Amino acid sequence: MRLAMAQISSGTDPAENLRLVAEATGRAAADGAELVVFPEATMCRFGVKLGPIAQPLDGSWADGVATIAAEHGVSVVAGMFTPEPDGGRVKNTLLAVTPGGQRTGYDKIHLYDAFGFAESRTVAPGAQPVLITVAGCRVGLATCYDIRFPRLFTALARAGADLIVVPASWGAGPGKLRQWQALATARALDATAYVAAVGQAEPPDPEVAASGAPTGIGHSQITDPFGSVVAAYGSASEVGVHDIDTAAVGKARTALAVLANEQDLTEPRLAF
């Protein structure tokens, strides 16, 4: 499969961000991409009120992404915000659309309540892992802070995922880049699957980058099932297309059978 990582820096205007989606998708499709993955919060960056921005999966912004996918004949995954039924918070949702009009969403399960940021104040958690199929490849969906939780990735792998995409808007800070890179590699090894961790580029506005909100550091990365990094970007906006060899997944799961070898554990015994 031909996978594009669209490392963009989204702003606060959903219409302008949709224009970025159209431009990057066109470039990726011209290079043969079958799936284009955008970051978390593509619809609108963090650091502003999300309630007025949120739209349902059949709203105008998602319709715009679906139109772009159909026009270019590719599948697209992009981060957006959808209304929570109780009205108090929103959902941090990955929109996935195919060129044929299929559409689904994954609501982020693990919310970023860490490093002084409390995503759960304004965002309600999801509960259900989601997979899609693109060009015969089973693709698992995860979002940003999810990457710190191995069980989601092994669950997606056990459900057949050859590739797990992780759109993110990673927060800046000491050691955070190294954590992002290490976690992307570790999750590929845990799942013996490809992991494509696609981040927001570092914002060009220094005030936005220093705001304290998780607005992105770039450094998108593809890791193969054996833990080798096969593509890595810098901090600036970038769109690239890469080949995913799904046969490598089967080879990894034969040679490194961690999914088959994992044992259920009893409660640890305190010996001393």
Side-chain angles (χ1 to χ4, degrees):
M1 185 181 72
R2 295 275 283 171
L3 165 72
M5 296 196 296
Q7 180 174 286
I8 64 168
S9 180
S10 59
T12 58
D13 180 356
E16 174 60 20
N17 295 332
L18 191 62
R19 186 193 66 77
L20 294 177
V21 171
E23 179 182 324
T25 301
R27 290 169 56 191
D31 198 19
E34 296 167 291
L35 171 62
V36 187
V37 182
F38 288 87
E40 176 187 28
T42 292
M43 181 190 198
C44 178
R45 69 165 174 83
F46 286 107
V48 298
K49 291 184 178 180
L50 300 175
I53 297 293
Q55 295 183 15
L57 284 178
D58 59 357
S60 61
W61 198 84
D63 285 349
V65 176
T67 298
I68 292 165
E71 177 182 350
H72 294 288
V74 299
S75 295
V76 174
V77 173
M80 63 178 295
F81 299 100
T82 55
E84 166 67 6
D86 66 14
R89 295 184 287 178
V90 301
K91 290 287 184 73
N92 185 340
T93 300
L94 293 183
L95 167 70
V97 298
T98 70
Q102 292 175 299
R103 186 182 310 191
T104 193
Y106 161 70
D107 296 325
K108 184 179 182 181
I109 293 173
H110 302 98
L111 301 182
Y112 181 57
D113 289 355
F115 294 102
F117 190 83
E119 185 177 12
S120 63
R121 282 202 303 259
T122 57
V123 177
Q128 181 68 53
V130 175
L131 297 99
I132 60 174
T133 302
V134 179
C137 179
R138 192 68 62 85
V139 181
L141 305 180
T143 306
C144 201
Y145 194 55
D146 280 336
I147 205 168
R148 293 186 181 272
F149 299 89
R151 285 198 301 170
L152 174 59
F153 288 74
T154 55
L156 290 167
R158 292 183 191 284
D162 302 305
L163 163 69
I164 302 171
V165 298
V166 192
S169 188
W170 200 253
K176 294 294 297 298
L177 171 57
R178 178 59 185 146
Q179 292 171 32
W180 167 247
Q181 294 168 327
L183 288 163
T185 299
R187 296 298 82 84
L189 287 167
D190 291 335
T192 47
Y194 281 90
V195 168
V198 183
Q200 287 270 354
E202 184 177 349
D205 184 341
E207 290 188 7
V208 173
S211 66
T215 52
I217 61 170
H219 292 276
S220 298
Q221 176 176 309
I222 298 175
T223 311
D224 76 12
F226 288 100
S228 296
V229 176
V230 297
Y233 295 178
S235 62
S237 295
E238 183 174 352
V239 178
V241 179
H242 312 274
D243 289 314
I244 300 298
D245 178 14
T246 55
V249 177
K251 293 176 183 177
R253 290 178 181 170
T254 298
L256 184 63
V258 291
L259 296 174
N261 293 341
E262 185 177 23
Q263 301 294 314
D264 291 330
L265 301 178
T266 61
E267 188 72 19
R269 177 173 59 89
L270 179 61
F272 297 100

